[in-house]
């Protein structure tokens, strides 16, 4: 599991690795996914390093709510709030988590199949 010092998303947040930032505030940074799976595919990333959902504590409840409300706001700004969009946290190996700093995927702009792969 990545430590903060070698965490890709901590480096992006610190400006040490370039990224296409679409939104940021004191709590969150939102970037375009480098390998987009839909016309809109962004990652909503907390500035705090939390490796997986398994590491959340009650103190993070507001943070997680803020992440989902930001997803809804970005979907609305992009005009996808009525067509539809998907929000996903991948957790650990079988879900394909590849960056161990929690991030909420926001996908929209095409018909998204169910069940997911
Ligand atoms: P996950 O598999 O849920 O951990 O998602 C990690 C996501 O980060 C993948 O969708 C990658 O395409 C994306 N990603 C990896 N490196 C970068 C990067 N440098 N900038 C933006 N997105 C990235
Ligand atoms: Zn991190």
């Amino acid at each position: 599991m990545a430590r903060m010092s070698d965490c890709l998303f901590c480096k992006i947040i610190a400006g040490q690795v370039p990224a296409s930032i679409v939104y940021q505030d004191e709590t969150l940074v939102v970037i375009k996914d480098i390998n987009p799976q839909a016309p809109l595919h962004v990652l909503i990333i907390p500035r705090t390093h939390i490796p997986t959902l398994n590491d959340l504590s009650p103190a993070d409840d507001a943070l997680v709510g803020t992440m989902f409300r930001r997803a809804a706001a970005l979907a609305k700004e992009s005009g996808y709030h009525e067509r539809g969009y998907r929000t996903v946290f991948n957790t650990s190996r079988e879900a394909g988590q590849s960056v161990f700093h929690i991030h909420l995927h926001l996908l929209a702009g095409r018909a998204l199949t169910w069940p997911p792969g």
Side-chain angles (χ1 to χ4, degrees), residues 3-4 7-11 48-50 100-101:
R3 292 175 297 114
M4 290 171 70
C7 169
L8 173 63
F9 288 170
C10 282
K11 286 181 179 169
T48 308
H49 180 85
I50 300 169
F100 285 81
H101 177 137

Side-chain angles (χ1 to χ4, degrees), residues 25 33 67 110:
D25 61 22
D33 197 293
M67 293 172 75
R110 65 174 174 84

